[in-house]
């Protein structure tokens, strides 16, 4: 038996986790390499007509690929691998491997179907696929399979936790598992919107069984999932920041109960806020928009608590490492560990990102910025910055852990995280600024008609920042994939193999608040009820005035 | 961390939690207060119905500007891939302007540069908001919702005039100079093929020279009529350049409009094509009901790539 398969016979989980994560990175590789071209577009440079672009016929086809592969596929694969593996490891329970492998292959099939449909130029509908833009059925079916597979993973993780609870009566769920389970329950409620949209409307429509669909209804169902999906992306990063990072910096979790509270709040408030993506939609009544706007302000609270608790946990580490003074402990953190440095920078990116999110969640301010370049500026420091950078940084211990190979090059890994951080700062500053000048998002502005030249004059400086950022990020992608491939193929075997850095959770308790929060089904029910209350009246109203609009393929 | 540190952290934690909640509450109050005093730019739904029904209403059957009462104007616009109809409106400064906008096909955006007006335009719905321009000048209307391959070129224009100038223009309307063909072209075709007929590299083929040449082929004019009526999709070559966009069908234009616009594009820009397409030709072709792929087949049958 080869050495490699020996590693995996002891721990078959490692093999599947690796499959999920490497597939995620394959999607990220394809998707993110299109990013710099888009950044150059927002710098006024049109590279598309030079035919430099293999696979892609138009800016919009490339952008659809970029959004779908990065935001939907990369994230879902990575999260499914990570938040399936960590709970299994923490509870020391063997998952049902057959079922779990099936979920992987279902997800892979979905990825292939959606990618083929986009590459064939049939589905240039963006990752939001607003009807009546009409993609190929393979696109919708593919995405549906990805979501269904992620729900299979959710099911398996919750099942493992039930088994653990039976074996450990009277104990509360271990912290990393608790966070993961809350995320999966949140996703179960959140994904109902997109599942209904795709399965009830878009798939039958793309097969020709429906003549048309209602664009306002399908869009609302999309955002039922579309907001909480950002927490589906973000919370795995929080899992690492709360549950693993403190250990990596020799700190400890500052508060067990507050950590649990944060995740309960996210379960409750992530979903009933989707109308904040629809503030300028005519079909949603202003009163309900205001309610969603209010809830959005309050969903900022758990993130603010996170800033405190994680700050405290890191400070405990920095002081244990000899840090003194009010800020001296920050310097003492292990900045030379790429996994730590990357996550610290991810946290820094999330500070302006969170502030920008509060701006966008404000009903009145959002109207100024909706669909401008500010929006991609915002989500490249959230999902493209804080989340992706955390995933990249985690990979620097996770990949050695899963493959039993030493990280290929610590220096290149450090180079990756620094260049991602700096690149995103340039890029995102430029995009936010272009947004303030009302340059629209999703627009091939470097290829404007001759009579429109000069419409966006006056934005040269922010455009330059965007372009520089895109260039730095390209370098970062190259470094990152060198490290990944180097580790897999050239990494020294069986040296320095890191364990999962589960946090010391000294202040855990099996009674009181922690026990109350461990009643996950009660919280689940409250969360479902909240969603029903904030969505039912508007959806009822829309369904009772259903309009059917035929599909269009204007590309 | 010892018990003492832990209790210190817990105390600050509670303070921070209070502070965070208070901050959110302040934000909510500020948002509500702002909207209470100024909500003209909050979009309202004026109608939700089948697009055909909406387009047949008084407001949209003849989109444009109407003075509804003293110093109050209603602007009706129809968004379609990839233009606003009308593509330019002229308005007086310091007057309340009510915008009614709907879409014929897919989602579009309606954001007026240098203002706080920003509405989503959804087929089957009429979006409404109002605005008072404080300064004369030219304001771009940007479609900021992705609507297809020509989305970046979907802009309209609002020209805001000093009141006296506006009144004078109303009193002595400049005689409509453009021919029917040219005005149909500029409203419907120019956003992709450009007013000069030069097209856009890789996506929209040039019409200048190209249609004149096609009009001379045997069956060329029939093909042009079918293209205008039913659209065209599939990859084509013109003058050595490849194009892979999609042209929508224009069955909603009248026979008169289609024949006029084709004759304009065949012989406009100084070209010497055979510009004799008649309304009867268009009426006859209407019964074909081709798909845009069928038209691509007709093109190949002519020997064009
Ligand atoms: C490698 C660096 C990257 C660069 C330079 C980059 C650049 C861009 C640019 C310029 C846009 C805006 C295009 C437009 O609105 O027309 C964009 C859109 C987008 N990017 Fe990235 N990106 C990068 C990585 C990522 C990553 C890692 C993610 C997510 C994990 C991501 C997710 C998205 C999404 C969801 C969109 C929106 C697509 C849409 O509007 O439909 N990007 N990107
Ligand atoms: Cu959101
Ligand atoms: Cu558009």
């Amino acid at each position: 038996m080869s050495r490699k398969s020996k590693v995996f016979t002891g721990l078959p989980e490692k093999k599947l986790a690796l499959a999920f994560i490497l597939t995620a990175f394959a999607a990220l590789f394809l998707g993110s390499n299109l990013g710099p071209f888009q950044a150059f577009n927002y710098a006024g440079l049109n590279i598309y007509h030079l035919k430099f672009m293999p696979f892609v016929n138009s800016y919009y086809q490339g952008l659809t690929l970029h959004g779908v592969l990065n935001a939907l596929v990369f994230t879902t694969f990575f999260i499914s691998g990570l938040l399936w593996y960590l709970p299994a490891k923490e509870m020391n329970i063997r998952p049902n491997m057959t079922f779990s492998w099936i979920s992987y292959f279902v997800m892979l099939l979905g990825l292939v179907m959606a990618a083929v449909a986009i590459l064939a130029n049939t589905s240039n509908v963006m990752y939001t696929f607003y009807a009546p833009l009409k993609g190929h059925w393979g696109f919708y079916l593919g995405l549906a399979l990805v979501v269904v597979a992620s729900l299979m993973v959710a099911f398996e993780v919750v099942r493992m936790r039930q088994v653990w609870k039976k074996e450990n009566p009277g104990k509360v769920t271990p912290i990393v598992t608790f966070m993961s389970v809350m995320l999966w329950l949140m996703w179960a409620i959140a994904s109902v919107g997109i599942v209904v949209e795709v399965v009830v409307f878009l798939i039958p429509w793309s097969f020709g069984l429906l003549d048309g669909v209602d664009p306002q209804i399908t869009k609302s169902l999309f955002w039922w999932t579309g907001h909480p999906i950002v927490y589906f992306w973000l919370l795995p990063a929080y899992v690492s920041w709360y549950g693993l990072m403190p250990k990596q910096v020799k700190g400890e979790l500052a508060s067990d109960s507050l950590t649990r509270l944060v995740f309960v709040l996210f379960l409750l408030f992530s979903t009933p806020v989707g109308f904040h993506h629809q503030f300028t939609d005519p079909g949603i009544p202003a009163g309900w928009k205001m309610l969603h706007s209010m809830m959005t302000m309050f969903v900022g609270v758990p993130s603010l608590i996170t800033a405190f608790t994680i700050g405290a946990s890191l400070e405990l580490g920095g002081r244990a490492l000899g840090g003194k003074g009010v800020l001296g402990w920050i310097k003492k953190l292990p900045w030379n560990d790429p996994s730590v440095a990357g996550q610290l920078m991810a946290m820094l990116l999330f500070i302006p990102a969170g502030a920008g999110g509060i701006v966008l969640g404000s009903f009145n301010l959002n109207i100024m910025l909706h669909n401008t370049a500010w929006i991609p500026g915002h989500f490249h420091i959230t999902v493209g910055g804080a989340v992706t950078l955390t995933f990249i940084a985690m990979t620097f211990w996770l990949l050695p852990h899963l493959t039993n190979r030493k990280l290929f090059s610590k220096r290149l890994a450090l180079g990756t995280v620094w260049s991602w951080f700096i690149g995103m700062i340039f890029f995102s500053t430029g995009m936010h600024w272009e947004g303030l000048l009302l340059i629209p998002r999703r627009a091939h502005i470097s290829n404007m008609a001759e009579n429109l030249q000069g419409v966006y004059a006056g934005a040269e400086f922010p455009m330059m920042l965007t372009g520089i950022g895109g260039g730095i990020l390209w370098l970062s992608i190259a470094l990152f994939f060198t490290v990944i491939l180097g580790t897999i193929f050239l990494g020294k075997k069986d040296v320095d193999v890191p364990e999962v850095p589960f946090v010391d959770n000294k202040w855990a308790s099996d009674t009181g608040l922690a026990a109350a929060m461990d009643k996950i089904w009660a919280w689940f029910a409250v969360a479902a009820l909240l969603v029903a209350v904030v969505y039912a009246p508007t959806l009822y109203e829309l369904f009772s005035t259903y309009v059917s609009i035929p599909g269009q393929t204007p590309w | 961390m010892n018990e003492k540190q832990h209790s210190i952290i817990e105390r600050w934690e509670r303070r921070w939690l209070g502070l965070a909640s208070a901050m959110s509450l302040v934000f909510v109050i500020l948002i509500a207060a702002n909207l209470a005093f100024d909500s003209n730019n909050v979009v309202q739904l004026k109608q939700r119905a089948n697009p055909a029904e909406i387009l047949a209403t008084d407001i949209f059957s003849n989109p444009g500007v109407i003075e509804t009462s003293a110093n109050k104007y209603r602007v009706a616009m129809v968004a379609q891939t990839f233009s606003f109809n009308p593509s330019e409106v002229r308005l007086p400064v310091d007057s309340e302007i009510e915008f009614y906008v709907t879409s014929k096909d897919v989602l579009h955006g309606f954001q007026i540069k240098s203002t706080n007006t920003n509405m989503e335009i959804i087929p089957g719905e009429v979006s409404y908001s109002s605005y008072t321009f404080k300064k004369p000048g030219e304001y771009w209307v940007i479609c900021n919702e992705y609507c297809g391959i020509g989305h970046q070129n979907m802009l309209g224009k609002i020209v805001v005039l000093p009141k006296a100038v506006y009144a004078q223009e109303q009193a002595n309307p400049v005689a409509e100079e453009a021919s029917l063909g040219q005005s149909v072209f500029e409203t419907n075709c120019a956003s992709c093929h450009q007013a000069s007929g030069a097209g856009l590299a890789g996506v929209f083929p040039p019409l200048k020279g190209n249609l004149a040449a096609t009009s001379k082929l045997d069956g060329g004019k029939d093909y042009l009529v079918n293209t205008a009526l039913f659209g065209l999709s599939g990859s084509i070559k013109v003058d050595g350049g490849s194009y892979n966009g999609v042209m929508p069908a224009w069955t909603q234009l009248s026979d008169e409009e289609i024949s006029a616009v084709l004759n304009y594009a065949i012989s406009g820009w100084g070209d010497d094509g055979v510009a004799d397409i008649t309304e009867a030709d268009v009426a006859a072709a209407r019964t074909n009901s081709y798909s845009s792929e069928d038209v691509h087949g007709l093109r190949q049958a002519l020997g064009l790539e």
Side-chain angles (χ1 to χ4, degrees):
Chain A
M1 200 187 277
S2 77
R3 194 205 59 87
K4 192 160 197 171
S5 51
K6 246 189 285 166
V7 172
F8 292 131
T9 19
L11 277 170
E13 296 92 337
K14 281 196 172 182
K15 194 170 180 177
L16 179 52
L18 192 62
F20 268 119
I21 281 156
L22 291 182
T23 315
F25 284 131
L28 181 70
F29 181 75
L30 266 178
S32 64
N33 265 302
L34 288 155
F37 290 99
Q38 291 152 202
F40 298 150
N41 169 58
Y42 275 89
L45 300 173
N46 182 18
I47 315 230
Y48 288 77
H49 72 278
L50 294 181
K51 298 277 167 245
F52 276 172
M53 306 281 297
F55 316 125
V56 184
N57 293 307
S58 71
Y59 182 79
Y60 300 104
Q61 185 192 8
L63 187 56
T64 304
L65 205 56
H66 177 84
V68 169
L69 287 181
N70 285 341
L72 301 181
V73 173
F74 157 64
T75 51
T76 309
F77 270 88
F78 192 91
I79 294 163
S80 296
L82 184 74
L83 295 194
W84 167 87
Y85 181 74
L86 293 181
K89 190 94 183 153
E90 189 186 34
M91 294 184 289
N92 201 13
I93 288 185
R94 173 71 31 97
N96 179 334
M97 290 306 297
T98 317
F99 182 76
S100 302
W101 272 105
I102 293 175
S103 59
Y104 169 77
F105 280 110
V106 171
M107 200 180 282
L108 186 65
L109 179 67
L111 156 61
V112 171
M113 283 176 74
V116 168
I118 301 171
L119 286 169
N121 210 25
T122 62
S123 307
N124 302 351
V125 293
M126 304 291 150
Y127 80 107
T128 46
F129 45 88
Y130 293 151
L133 291 176
K134 189 176 186 181
H136 191 270
W137 55 263
F139 175 82
Y140 301 119
L141 195 55
L143 291 185
L145 290 178
V146 170
V147 175
V148 167
S150 70
L151 292 173
M152 291 170 70
V153 176
F155 175 86
E156 181 57 18
V157 174
V158 174
R159 188 196 65 80
M160 285 192 281
R161 184 243 177 212
Q162 300 303 78
V163 172
W164 186 92
K165 283 291 269 189
K166 260 213 203 90
E167 289 172 0
N168 296 273
K171 292 202 165 163
V172 302
T173 316
I175 188 75
V176 169
T177 306
F178 180 81
M179 293 189 275
S180 309
V181 165
M182 286 318 223
L183 170 126
W184 286 119
L185 291 181
M186 182 278 282
W187 181 235
I189 296 177
S191 58
V192 170
I194 212 170
V195 168
V196 172
E197 179 195 13
V198 173
V199 173
V200 177
F201 295 104
L202 302 184
I203 292 179
W205 180 51
S206 60
F207 275 117
L209 302 174
L210 292 175
D211 294 332
V213 293
D214 187 314
Q216 184 72 79
I217 291 179
T218 46
K219 190 179 184 207
S220 306
L221 289 170
F222 179 85
W223 288 113
W224 165 317
T225 304
H227 182 74
I229 205 175
V230 312
Y231 287 108
F232 177 65
W233 301 330
L234 179 65
L235 296 189
Y238 280 13
V239 169
S240 175
W241 299 353
Y242 277 110
L244 310 172
M245 262 282 270
K247 178 80 170 184
Q248 290 176 288
V249 304
K250 311 270 179 298
E252 58 188 290
L253 187 56
S255 171
D256 173 75
S257 54
L258 217 55
T259 307
R260 288 173 197 268
L261 176 67
V262 162
F263 276 75
V264 169
L265 290 177
F266 277 123
L267 170 63
L268 294 180
F269 295 114
S270 292
T271 312
V273 293
F275 289 165
H276 71 209
H277 293 262
Q278 300 180 274
F279 285 137
T280 65
D281 277 12
I284 311 289
W288 288 105
K289 288 175 182 165
M290 186 61 208
L291 184 75
H292 283 226
S293 184
M294 268 170 68
M295 309 270 275
T296 307
M297 293 303 117
F298 287 110
V299 87
V301 173
S303 281
L304 286 162
I305 304 178
T306 299
F308 182 93
T309 308
I310 290 178
S313 304
L314 296 178
E315 183 174 345
L316 288 167
R319 296 207 183 279
L321 292 167
K324 298 259 163 351
V326 178
L327 295 174
W329 58 272
I330 297 177
K331 272 214 304 263
K332 288 285 176 189
L333 292 172
W335 285 91
N336 62 347
D337 174 346
S339 168
V340 170
Q343 296 191 60
L344 291 171
M345 290 180 227
M347 293 170 187
L348 290 177
L349 284 179
F350 202 65
I351 296 171
I358 291 194
V359 169
L360 288 176
S362 308
F363 191 170
N364 50 345
L365 298 178
N366 178 288
I367 301 176
M368 310 290 297
L369 295 167
H370 175 70
N371 273 347
T372 65
W374 170 294
I375 310 296
H378 169 66
F379 61 63
H380 283 83
I381 44 174
T382 54
V383 64
V387 172
T388 305
L389 188 49
T390 298
F391 291 178
I392 286 176
M394 289 178 78
T395 304
F396 296 146
W397 67 259
L398 185 58
L399 195 62
H401 170 78
L402 293 176
T403 55
N404 261 24
R405 282 169 184 270
K406 193 175 153 120
L407 189 68
F408 171 63
S409 159
K410 197 167 146 183
R411 284 175 64 184
L412 292 187
L414 275 170
T416 305
V417 295
W418 276 104
S419 54
W420 195 274
F421 177 62
I422 294 169
M424 276 304 171
I425 291 178
F426 271 94
F427 170 72
S428 145
T429 306
M431 291 300 272
H432 278 89
W433 194 336
E434 289 186 49
L436 290 173
L437 300 172
L438 301 200
I439 294 180
R441 70 183 288 200
R442 294 178 166 173
H444 194 183
I445 56 165
S446 60
N447 191 28
M448 304 272 290
E450 76 235 34
N451 61 322
L452 297 175
Q453 303 291 339
V455 176
Y456 304 124
E460 291 73 13
F461 183 68
M463 288 170 85
M464 184 185 78
L465 296 180
T466 304
I468 294 174
I472 300 175
L473 285 163
W474 218 351
L475 171 75
S476 190
I477 298 168
L479 293 176
F480 179 55
F481 284 95
T482 310
V483 175
I484 295 209
L485 295 175
T487 305
I488 294 174
F489 293 109
L490 305 171
K492 286 208 204 72
K493 292 176 190 169
D494 301 317
V495 209
D496 277 353
V497 175
E499 272 311 306
V500 179
F502 284 117
V503 73
D504 292 330
N505 189 12
K506 274 201 229 147
W507 306 95
S509 139
D510 288 322
T511 54
L513 216 52
M517 287 186 287
D518 219 34
K519 304 214 177 315
I520 60 170
W521 297 111
W523 296 113
F524 183 76
V526 176
L529 188 73
L530 264 176
V531 179
V533 169
V534 302
Y535 268 104
T538 309
L539 285 178
Y540 175 78
E541 178 67 29
L542 290 176
F543 271 102
S544 57
T545 51
Y546 191 91
V547 281
S548 164
I549 307 286
Q552 304 277 344
T553 54
W555 52 79
Chain B
M1 175 170 59
N2 54 36
E3 279 297 341
K4 182 159 168 260
Q5 285 170 319
H6 189 233
S7 70
I8 295 176
I9 290 183
E10 277 197 325
R11 193 161 66 237
W12 281 99
E13 232 164 40
R14 275 192 297 274
R15 289 179 188 161
W16 176 256
L17 181 60
L19 189 74
S21 311
M23 190 169 83
S24 300
L25 194 65
V26 170
F27 288 155
V28 169
I29 293 170
L30 287 175
I31 297 167
N34 181 250
L35 289 173
F37 290 114
D38 180 10
S39 58
N40 287 341
N41 65 333
V42 174
V43 64
Q44 293 174 34
L45 177 71
K46 283 293 172 181
Q47 197 184 354
R48 191 169 139 80
N50 212 296
E53 203 177 304
I54 292 177
L55 293 171
T57 56
D58 283 351
I59 299 182
F60 290 107
S61 56
N62 192 9
V65 184
I66 284 185
E67 182 166 10
T68 46
S69 60
N71 216 17
K72 192 164 172 181
Y73 295 80
R74 182 180 81 202
V75 176
M77 279 206 192
V78 178
Q80 61 193 61
T81 52
F82 304 101
S83 58
F84 293 99
N85 178 20
S87 58
E88 179 178 323
V89 292
R90 303 170 81 77
L91 295 167
V93 76
D94 288 328
S95 309
E96 185 181 348
I97 313 291
E98 299 183 294
F99 291 101
Y100 287 74
V101 191
T102 192
S103 165
K104 240 182 193 168
D105 40 45
V106 297
L107 267 64
H108 295 281
F110 184 90
Q111 181 164 33
I112 307 177
K113 232 184 150 181
S114 321
T115 74
N116 63 2
T117 300
N118 191 0
M119 304 191 288
E120 198 80 10
I121 311 303
I122 299 182
E125 296 186 348
V126 176
S127 301
Y128 167 93
S129 69
S130 67
Y131 188 74
T132 301
F133 292 91
K134 291 278 188 296
K135 268 198 229 148
E138 289 193 349
Y139 295 76
W140 289 103
V141 179
I142 305 168
C143 171
N144 62 12
E145 183 64 86
Y146 167 69
C147 56
I149 190 84
H151 162 61
Q152 76 272 20
N153 287 331
M154 183 164 168
L155 284 97
K157 199 187 268 183
I158 295 176
V159 181
V160 177
L161 302 165
K163 280 197 169 157
V165 180
Y166 184 79
Q168 198 178 14
E169 265 193 15
Q170 292 308 96
N172 320 295
V174 197
E176 235 348 302
E177 273 172 31
S179 66
L180 175 65
Q182 182 174 357
S183 74
V184 173
F185 189 88
E186 278 163 9
T187 315
N188 299 292
C189 320
S191 59
C192 297
H193 297 289
Q194 308 305 304
S196 65
L200 203 64
V203 203
F204 308 121
L207 301 185
K208 177 171 158 44
N210 171 18
L211 293 204
T214 309
S215 72
K216 293 178 198 157
L217 298 175
D218 217 14
K221 279 179 289 187
D222 287 341
Y223 160 72
L224 292 178
V225 172
N226 283 314
T227 311
L229 278 173
F230 306 115
L232 177 64
S233 63
S235 155
I236 65 167
K237 275 200 172 146
V238 175
D239 292 338
S242 321
Y243 299 89
N244 197 358
V246 169
M247 156 132 165
W250 293 97
T251 36
Q252 71 273 24
L253 297 179
S254 70
D255 295 347
E256 187 192 7
E257 286 169 321
I258 292 207
S259 55
V261 77
L262 282 173
N263 289 331
Y264 170 75
I266 289 171
S267 63
W269 313 298
D271 292 346
D272 67 338
V274 191
D276 59 1
I277 294 172
T278 63
E279 286 176 43
D281 295 338
V282 182
R286 251 181 223 279
T287 55
N288 292 337
S289 74
Y290 289 130
S291 71
S292 58
E293 288 87 13
D294 296 339
V295 178
H296 192 246
L298 296 179
R299 177 179 176 85
Q300 287 166 328
L302 281 182
L304 295 172
E305 283 183 274

